[in-house]
Each structure stands twice: as structure tokens, then as C-alpha cells.
Amino acid sequence: MTSFAALHRPGSPLLLPNVWEFGTAAFLAAQGFPALGTTSLGVSAAEGEPDGAPSSKEATVRLARRLTGLDTLISVDLADGFSEDPGEVGALAAELAEAGVAGINLEDALGDPVRHAAKIAAVKERAPGLFVNARTDTHWLGEPDIGTAIDRSLSYVDAGADGVFVPGLAEPADVVRLVKAVRVPVNLLFLPGKVTVARAAELGVARVSLGSLPYRMALAATLRTVEAVRDGGELPLAPPSYADVAALLPESH
């Protein structure tokens, strides 16, 4: 299987679908996607927990362990690492790496960049082979300044990050500035009409993530399906059969 790092090719970006439970991941893996990520919102919502809350850590780890059995590479969204202690974040990363996880996503939530860099350094010390995608929320949490995004990203690269992620960034000129400045794979979040795979490729981006979009689309499809049945309309999509889904699941022992 191709290494996760090798899938990040500037100009030919990896499309990373994000999943929240085993069945969805197994279905996508069967379609040939070389890598999948988890979505903290989807995992947390499935557990009835706030997005990225420490209370969702156990569910995140449990899902990650199940997903590593699939024929695809797995990157895990760890939100802020579920802790402010770099040592604890490093230990969690080591646990996931030992379980077969290929990469993780760590977000700074616009907190102290020095502390976030320390978390990244701790992860790379404990799990040097793990691909660390360092996310900065400058453009996601209402401070869309490319200079700040670059400064934060560079500090994370200096700490050992293998790639940087700036969700919400879409302005082409700013994307190019970031790509040239950090010199590691750049990850953008798909934004309809603003960030597409084709446009990201032109700008030298190496990865496009779907984030919580598949989970939210699943909610929309569920509602449309229920409404169609209630109203006697056509189903909005043609689903896989029961047998198709059952065939994706592990055999009982």
C-alpha cells in the first residue's frame, strides 16, 4: 500500500473523504479510495457529545482501531488532541500509530501557537512515522489573515509537522503564498464553488479534505428519504442493497 505521505502530491491533491463510523468507511474503501480521514463532528455527534470534546476521545480511538483493519490508509481527526498536555497528546498519537493509523490531524483552535507546536513536537518524538497534519484556524474561526496563517503554519512545520491545514482558506493568491512559504504539503477544505479539487491542483495544493460534509450530507439524505416515503415520492438516491452492506462487515466469530 502506498505510504500516506506519498499520496500528498502538490498539483495532484489527495481527496480525503472523512467518515464517522465503520460502515461508511468500509463502503468507501471498497470503492478504492486510498485513504480516509475521520471527522470529529461526525464521531462526536454519533456519540451524542460536543464536537471535539474530551468525552469523545474514547470513541475516536475505538473507531480508529476498527478502521485500520480496512484496505485503506487512515488519518484520525484528533481535534486539539483532547488535552492541553503535550505529553498526553504524544502518548495518544503513539497509541494510534501502534494500532496502524497513518496520520493525525491536530488543530490549534487559535490557541497558543507555542503550546500547539509543543504538542506536535511531542507527537513526532513518540511516533516519528505518523503524518502530522497541523491545522490552524485563522480562516475558520473568523480571523482570515494569511500572514498569521503562514506564521502559525511555519512554527508548526519547525516543530515537525508533515503538512499544514488551513480550513476556510480559499483566496487563490493567499493559497499560493502559503504553498510557497511552508514547503510542505498544504491541505484545504472543500468549499463548494470556492475550493475544488481541480482549482486546488492548479494552486499547488496537496490535499483536499471533505471534513464534516459527508456526515452532514448523510443527514440531509436521511431526511429526504423519510420525506419521500411519507409523501409517496421517488427516493432521492439509489442505495446499496442490504447484502452489499452486509458483505462489507467483518464476519462474526
Side-chain angles (χ1 to χ4, degrees):
M1 188 181 295
T2 303
S3 76
F4 190 53
L7 295 175
H8 294 71
R9 297 186 293 269
S12 181
L14 167 68
L15 175 63
L16 190 72
N18 296 84
V19 300
W20 61 97
E21 51 90 39
F22 182 87
T24 306
F27 184 67
L28 289 173
Q31 313 310 309
F33 287 94
L36 302 173
T38 64
T39 162
S40 66
L41 177 63
V43 174
S44 297
E47 292 292 311
E49 302 289 349
D51 182 18
S55 53
S56 65
K57 174 183 174 180
E58 181 179 340
T60 299
V61 173
R62 183 171 63 249
L63 175 62
R65 288 183 174 277
R66 295 299 303 274
L67 297 186
T68 56
L70 296 171
D71 187 22
T72 188
L73 296 166
I74 300 299
S75 181
V76 179
D77 184 355
L78 290 185
D80 65 353
F82 304 114
S83 173
E84 286 304 301
D85 181 347
E88 292 182 359
V89 178
L92 174 59
E95 177 185 350
L96 292 172
E98 187 168 341
V101 167
I104 62 170
N105 202 73
L106 275 179
E107 62 191 62
D108 64 11
L110 283 187
D112 179 7
V114 175
R115 175 56 61 87
H116 197 62
K119 292 181 183 181
I120 293 167
V123 168
K124 295 304 290 186
E125 179 179 359
R126 293 292 304 274
L130 200 63
F131 188 101
V132 177
N133 198 41
R135 166 175 161 170
T136 182
D137 287 304
T138 52
H139 289 63
W140 194 246
L141 297 179
E143 296 186 20
D145 179 75
I146 189 59
T148 302
I150 289 174
D151 288 345
R152 283 180 173 258
S153 295
L154 286 174
S155 70
Y156 304 154
V157 172
D158 288 343
D162 301 285
V164 297
F165 181 26
V166 187
L169 176 62
E171 176 59 40
D174 288 345
V175 174
V176 171
R177 283 184 60 188
L178 178 68
V179 168
K180 290 182 176 179
V182 297
R183 299 186 182 278
V184 297
V186 169
N187 181 191
L188 295 183
L189 181 69
F190 170 75
L191 298 171
K194 295 182 178 180
V195 175
T196 64
V197 173
R199 186 60 173 137
E202 294 173 356
L203 301 175
V205 170
R207 172 166 150 187
V208 175
S209 297
L210 294 183
S212 65
L213 178 63
Y215 174 72
R216 292 182 287 111
M217 289 297 293
L219 296 181
T222 298
L223 177 60
R224 288 285 303 278
T225 298
V226 173
E227 289 176 336
V229 172
R230 179 194 65 193
D231 301 335
E234 295 291 328
L235 294 178
L237 296 167
S241 69
Y242 176 95
D244 290 338
V245 177
L248 298 172
L249 305 179
E251 295 181 5
S252 59
H253 298 286

